[in-house]
mmCIF file of all heavy atoms in Angstrom:
data_model
loop_
_atom_site.group_PDB
_atom_site.id
_atom_site.type_symbol
_atom_site.label_atom_id
_atom_site.label_comp_id
_atom_site.label_asym_id
_atom_site.label_seq_id
_atom_site.Cartn_x
_atom_site.Cartn_y
_atom_site.Cartn_z
ATOM 1 N N ALA A 235 237.821 -85.824 48.799
ATOM 2 C CA ALA A 235 238.248 -86.947 47.963
ATOM 3 C C ALA A 235 237.658 -88.268 48.441
ATOM 4 O O ALA A 235 238.071 -89.334 47.989
ATOM 5 C CB ALA A 235 239.775 -87.033 47.952
ATOM 6 N N ASP A 236 236.669 -88.212 49.325
ATOM 7 C CA ASP A 236 236.082 -89.438 49.866
ATOM 8 C C ASP A 236 235.380 -90.229 48.764
ATOM 9 O O ASP A 236 234.842 -89.666 47.798
ATOM 10 C CB ASP A 236 235.079 -89.086 50.969
ATOM 11 C CG ASP A 236 234.732 -90.294 51.832
ATOM 12 O OD1 ASP A 236 233.848 -91.073 51.416
ATOM 13 O OD2 ASP A 236 235.356 -90.462 52.885
ATOM 14 N N ASP A 237 235.361 -91.540 48.912
ATOM 15 C CA ASP A 237 234.713 -92.409 47.924
ATOM 16 C C ASP A 237 233.193 -92.267 47.927
ATOM 17 O O ASP A 237 232.542 -92.564 46.926
ATOM 18 C CB ASP A 237 235.076 -93.871 48.185
ATOM 19 C CG ASP A 237 236.536 -94.173 47.874
ATOM 20 O OD1 ASP A 237 237.101 -93.487 47.001
ATOM 21 O OD2 ASP A 237 237.110 -95.081 48.511
ATOM 22 N N VAL A 238 232.643 -91.814 49.021
ATOM 23 C CA VAL A 238 231.183 -91.702 49.136
ATOM 24 C C VAL A 238 230.749 -90.291 48.707
ATOM 25 O O VAL A 238 231.154 -89.302 49.337
ATOM 26 C CB VAL A 238 230.726 -91.975 50.580
ATOM 27 C CG1 VAL A 238 229.208 -91.860 50.693
ATOM 28 C CG2 VAL A 238 231.203 -93.354 51.035
ATOM 29 N N PRO A 239 229.922 -90.176 47.650
ATOM 30 C CA PRO A 239 229.500 -88.849 47.172
ATOM 31 C C PRO A 239 228.836 -87.999 48.245
ATOM 32 O O PRO A 239 229.048 -86.784 48.295
ATOM 33 C CB PRO A 239 228.514 -89.183 46.044
ATOM 34 C CG PRO A 239 228.936 -90.529 45.553
ATOM 35 C CD PRO A 239 229.417 -91.253 46.779
ATOM 36 N N GLY A 240 228.047 -88.632 49.135
ATOM 37 C CA GLY A 240 227.380 -87.873 50.180
ATOM 38 C C GLY A 240 228.355 -87.215 51.135
ATOM 39 O O GLY A 240 228.115 -86.100 51.611
ATOM 40 N N VAL A 241 229.452 -87.899 51.417
ATOM 41 C CA VAL A 241 230.483 -87.325 52.294
ATOM 42 C C VAL A 241 231.148 -86.137 51.611
ATOM 43 O O VAL A 241 231.386 -85.093 52.231
ATOM 44 C CB VAL A 241 231.532 -88.397 52.670
ATOM 45 C CG1 VAL A 241 232.679 -87.768 53.460
ATOM 46 C CG2 VAL A 241 230.880 -89.514 53.481
ATOM 47 N N ARG A 242 231.443 -86.303 50.313
ATOM 48 C CA ARG A 242 232.056 -85.192 49.569
ATOM 49 C C ARG A 242 231.138 -83.974 49.564
ATOM 50 O O ARG A 242 231.583 -82.839 49.779
ATOM 51 C CB ARG A 242 232.366 -85.619 48.129
ATOM 52 C CG ARG A 242 233.437 -86.676 48.007
ATOM 53 C CD ARG A 242 234.020 -86.692 46.592
ATOM 54 N NE ARG A 242 233.013 -86.929 45.561
ATOM 55 C CZ ARG A 242 232.672 -88.143 45.112
ATOM 56 N NH1 ARG A 242 233.237 -89.223 45.624
ATOM 57 N NH2 ARG A 242 231.762 -88.283 44.163
ATOM 58 N N GLN A 243 229.844 -84.192 49.323
ATOM 59 C CA GLN A 243 228.899 -83.089 49.259
ATOM 60 C C GLN A 243 228.768 -82.392 50.609
ATOM 61 O O GLN A 243 228.706 -81.157 50.692
ATOM 62 C CB GLN A 243 227.527 -83.591 48.797
ATOM 63 C CG GLN A 243 226.482 -82.491 48.606
ATOM 64 C CD GLN A 243 226.920 -81.433 47.616
ATOM 65 O OE1 GLN A 243 227.561 -81.746 46.615
ATOM 66 N NE2 GLN A 243 226.599 -80.176 47.901
ATOM 67 N N ALA A 244 228.738 -83.172 51.680
ATOM 68 C CA ALA A 244 228.649 -82.578 53.019
ATOM 69 C C ALA A 244 229.890 -81.732 53.314
ATOM 70 O O ALA A 244 229.795 -80.646 53.907
ATOM 71 C CB ALA A 244 228.497 -83.681 54.066
ATOM 72 N N ALA A 245 231.049 -82.228 52.887
ATOM 73 C CA ALA A 245 232.288 -81.472 53.100
ATOM 74 C C ALA A 245 232.271 -80.170 52.306
ATOM 75 O O ALA A 245 232.708 -79.120 52.797
ATOM 76 C CB ALA A 245 233.490 -82.328 52.686
ATOM 77 N N VAL A 246 231.762 -80.230 51.075
ATOM 78 C CA VAL A 246 231.661 -79.021 50.250
ATOM 79 C C VAL A 246 230.779 -77.985 50.941
ATOM 80 O O VAL A 246 231.142 -76.800 51.048
ATOM 81 C CB VAL A 246 231.079 -79.367 48.856
ATOM 82 C CG1 VAL A 246 230.664 -78.093 48.123
ATOM 83 C CG2 VAL A 246 232.107 -80.129 48.036
ATOM 84 N N GLU A 247 229.616 -78.414 51.415
ATOM 85 C CA GLU A 247 228.684 -77.478 52.042
ATOM 86 C C GLU A 247 229.269 -76.858 53.304
ATOM 87 O O GLU A 247 229.152 -75.651 53.540
ATOM 88 C CB GLU A 247 227.372 -78.201 52.359
ATOM 89 C CG GLU A 247 226.601 -78.617 51.106
ATOM 90 C CD GLU A 247 225.360 -79.423 51.431
ATOM 91 O OE1 GLU A 247 225.091 -79.642 52.639
ATOM 92 O OE2 GLU A 247 224.650 -79.836 50.491
ATOM 93 N N LEU A 248 229.923 -77.677 54.110
ATOM 94 C CA LEU A 248 230.476 -77.175 55.364
ATOM 95 C C LEU A 248 231.655 -76.238 55.118
ATOM 96 O O LEU A 248 231.743 -75.155 55.722
ATOM 97 C CB LEU A 248 230.911 -78.351 56.241
ATOM 98 C CG LEU A 248 231.396 -78.002 57.656
ATOM 99 C CD1 LEU A 248 230.345 -77.172 58.396
ATOM 100 C CD2 LEU A 248 231.716 -79.269 58.434
ATOM 101 N N LEU A 249 232.549 -76.621 54.217
ATOM 102 C CA LEU A 249 233.708 -75.774 53.930
ATOM 103 C C LEU A 249 233.290 -74.460 53.281
ATOM 104 O O LEU A 249 233.895 -73.413 53.540
ATOM 105 C CB LEU A 249 234.682 -76.525 53.024
ATOM 106 C CG LEU A 249 235.516 -77.617 53.717
ATOM 107 C CD1 LEU A 249 236.193 -78.513 52.686
ATOM 108 C CD2 LEU A 249 236.557 -76.988 54.630
ATOM 109 N N THR A 250 232.269 -74.485 52.449
ATOM 110 C CA THR A 250 231.785 -73.257 51.813
ATOM 111 C C THR A 250 231.277 -72.278 52.864
ATOM 112 O O THR A 250 231.429 -71.066 52.727
ATOM 113 C CB THR A 250 230.670 -73.583 50.803
ATOM 114 O OG1 THR A 250 231.180 -74.496 49.820
ATOM 115 C CG2 THR A 250 230.196 -72.324 50.100
ATOM 116 N N ARG A 251 230.688 -72.798 53.941
ATOM 117 C CA ARG A 251 230.206 -71.926 55.019
ATOM 118 C C ARG A 251 231.346 -71.414 55.885
ATOM 119 O O ARG A 251 231.325 -70.273 56.363
ATOM 120 C CB ARG A 251 229.217 -72.688 55.894
ATOM 121 C CG ARG A 251 227.922 -73.074 55.207
ATOM 122 C CD ARG A 251 227.048 -73.893 56.132
ATOM 123 N NE ARG A 251 225.864 -74.408 55.462
ATOM 124 C CZ ARG A 251 224.976 -75.211 56.030
ATOM 125 N NH1 ARG A 251 225.156 -75.594 57.288
ATOM 126 N NH2 ARG A 251 223.926 -75.636 55.366
ATOM 127 N N LEU A 252 232.348 -72.251 56.104
ATOM 128 C CA LEU A 252 233.404 -71.916 57.060
ATOM 129 C C LEU A 252 234.502 -71.029 56.470
ATOM 130 O O LEU A 252 235.033 -70.155 57.156
ATOM 131 C CB LEU A 252 234.047 -73.200 57.599
ATOM 132 C CG LEU A 252 233.172 -74.103 58.467
ATOM 133 C CD1 LEU A 252 233.934 -75.377 58.820
ATOM 134 C CD2 LEU A 252 232.739 -73.369 59.738
ATOM 135 N N LEU A 253 234.855 -71.254 55.220
ATOM 136 C CA LEU A 253 236.055 -70.618 54.682
ATOM 137 C C LEU A 253 236.017 -69.097 54.588
ATOM 138 O O LEU A 253 237.035 -68.445 54.850
ATOM 139 C CB LEU A 253 236.404 -71.204 53.298
ATOM 140 C CG LEU A 253 237.547 -72.229 53.342
ATOM 141 C CD1 LEU A 253 237.170 -73.416 54.216
ATOM 142 C CD2 LEU A 253 237.897 -72.696 51.949
ATOM 143 N N PRO A 254 234.887 -68.459 54.193
ATOM 144 C CA PRO A 254 234.932 -66.999 54.076
ATOM 145 C C PRO A 254 235.384 -66.285 55.344
ATOM 146 O O PRO A 254 236.014 -65.227 55.283
ATOM 147 C CB PRO A 254 233.480 -66.644 53.716
ATOM 148 C CG PRO A 254 232.958 -67.865 53.042
ATOM 149 C CD PRO A 254 233.602 -69.018 53.774
ATOM 150 N N SER A 255 235.066 -66.850 56.511
ATOM 151 C CA SER A 255 235.471 -66.209 57.772
ATOM 152 C C SER A 255 236.592 -66.970 58.466
ATOM 153 O O SER A 255 237.008 -66.619 59.565
ATOM 154 C CB SER A 255 234.262 -66.118 58.723
ATOM 155 O OG SER A 255 233.733 -67.406 58.980
ATOM 156 N N GLY A 256 237.091 -68.014 57.816
ATOM 157 C CA GLY A 256 238.125 -68.841 58.429
ATOM 158 C C GLY A 256 239.519 -68.331 58.147
ATOM 159 O O GLY A 256 239.715 -67.364 57.415
ATOM 160 N N PRO A 257 240.515 -68.983 58.699
ATOM 161 C CA PRO A 257 241.904 -68.570 58.513
ATOM 162 C C PRO A 257 242.419 -68.910 57.111
ATOM 163 O O PRO A 257 241.875 -69.769 56.418
ATOM 164 C CB PRO A 257 242.651 -69.376 59.579
ATOM 165 C CG PRO A 257 241.807 -70.604 59.763
ATOM 166 C CD PRO A 257 240.394 -70.153 59.579
ATOM 167 N N GLY A 258 243.497 -68.236 56.714
ATOM 168 C CA GLY A 258 244.054 -68.450 55.388
ATOM 169 C C GLY A 258 244.498 -69.872 55.145
ATOM 170 O O GLY A 258 244.398 -70.372 54.016
ATOM 171 N N PHE A 259 244.992 -70.531 56.183
ATOM 172 C CA PHE A 259 245.491 -71.891 55.960
ATOM 173 C C PHE A 259 244.370 -72.841 55.558
ATOM 174 O O PHE A 259 244.612 -73.873 54.944
ATOM 175 C CB PHE A 259 246.251 -72.416 57.182
ATOM 176 C CG PHE A 259 245.430 -72.656 58.422
ATOM 177 C CD1 PHE A 259 244.639 -73.798 58.543
ATOM 178 C CD2 PHE A 259 245.460 -71.750 59.467
ATOM 179 C CE1 PHE A 259 243.900 -74.035 59.691
ATOM 180 C CE2 PHE A 259 244.716 -71.973 60.625
ATOM 181 C CZ PHE A 259 243.933 -73.113 60.736
ATOM 182 N N ALA A 260 243.117 -72.500 55.891
ATOM 183 C CA ALA A 260 241.985 -73.328 55.476
ATOM 184 C C ALA A 260 241.791 -73.227 53.958
ATOM 185 O O ALA A 260 241.539 -74.227 53.281
ATOM 186 C CB ALA A 260 240.720 -72.903 56.205
ATOM 187 N N VAL A 261 241.923 -72.020 53.426
ATOM 188 C CA VAL A 261 241.851 -71.826 51.968
ATOM 189 C C VAL A 261 243.016 -72.546 51.305
ATOM 190 O O VAL A 261 242.855 -73.186 50.258
ATOM 191 C CB VAL A 261 241.865 -70.325 51.616
ATOM 192 C CG1 VAL A 261 241.903 -70.128 50.094
ATOM 193 C CG2 VAL A 261 240.654 -69.617 52.212
ATOM 194 N N GLU A 262 244.176 -72.462 51.924
ATOM 195 C CA GLU A 262 245.355 -73.141 51.380
ATOM 196 C C GLU A 262 245.127 -74.652 51.315
ATOM 197 O O GLU A 262 245.508 -75.305 50.331
ATOM 198 C CB GLU A 262 246.571 -72.829 52.243
ATOM 199 C CG GLU A 262 247.862 -73.443 51.731
ATOM 200 C CD GLU A 262 249.059 -73.101 52.594
ATOM 201 O OE1 GLU A 262 248.861 -72.595 53.726
ATOM 202 O OE2 GLU A 262 250.196 -73.319 52.140
ATOM 203 N N ALA A 263 244.498 -75.207 52.338
ATOM 204 C CA ALA A 263 244.260 -76.649 52.377
ATOM 205 C C ALA A 263 243.320 -77.083 51.263
ATOM 206 O O ALA A 263 243.516 -78.124 50.629
ATOM 207 C CB ALA A 263 243.686 -77.049 53.739
ATOM 208 N N VAL A 264 242.287 -76.277 51.011
ATOM 209 C CA VAL A 264 241.354 -76.617 49.941
ATOM 210 C C VAL A 264 242.024 -76.440 48.578
ATOM 211 O O VAL A 264 241.845 -77.261 47.674
ATOM 212 C CB VAL A 264 240.077 -75.759 50.030
ATOM 213 C CG1 VAL A 264 239.168 -76.019 48.829
ATOM 214 C CG2 VAL A 264 239.331 -76.063 51.328
ATOM 215 N N ALA A 265 242.834 -75.379 48.422
ATOM 216 C CA ALA A 265 243.541 -75.165 47.158
ATOM 217 C C ALA A 265 244.473 -76.334 46.860
ATOM 218 O O ALA A 265 244.662 -76.707 45.686
ATOM 219 C CB ALA A 265 244.330 -73.861 47.214
ATOM 220 N N ALA A 266 245.036 -76.940 47.893
ATOM 221 C CA ALA A 266 245.932 -78.081 47.691
ATOM 222 C C ALA A 266 245.196 -79.257 47.058
ATOM 223 O O ALA A 266 245.803 -80.072 46.350
ATOM 224 C CB ALA A 266 246.555 -78.500 49.022
ATOM 225 N N ILE A 267 243.886 -79.335 47.280
ATOM 226 C CA ILE A 267 243.093 -80.433 46.714
ATOM 227 C C ILE A 267 242.999 -80.308 45.189
ATOM 228 O O ILE A 267 242.704 -81.284 44.496
ATOM 229 C CB ILE A 267 241.685 -80.468 47.352
ATOM 230 C CG1 ILE A 267 241.801 -80.646 48.866
ATOM 231 C CG2 ILE A 267 240.828 -81.589 46.780
ATOM 232 C CD1 ILE A 267 242.410 -81.966 49.302
#
Side-chain angles (χ1 to χ4, degrees):
D236 196 277
D237 290 332
V238 180
V241 174
R242 293 200 302 270
Q243 184 57 37
V246 167
E247 293 176 1
L248 186 54
L249 285 166
T250 302
R251 294 177 186 176
L252 293 176
L253 259 61
S255 58
F259 67 78
V261 175
E262 182 179 13
V264 174
I267 301 296

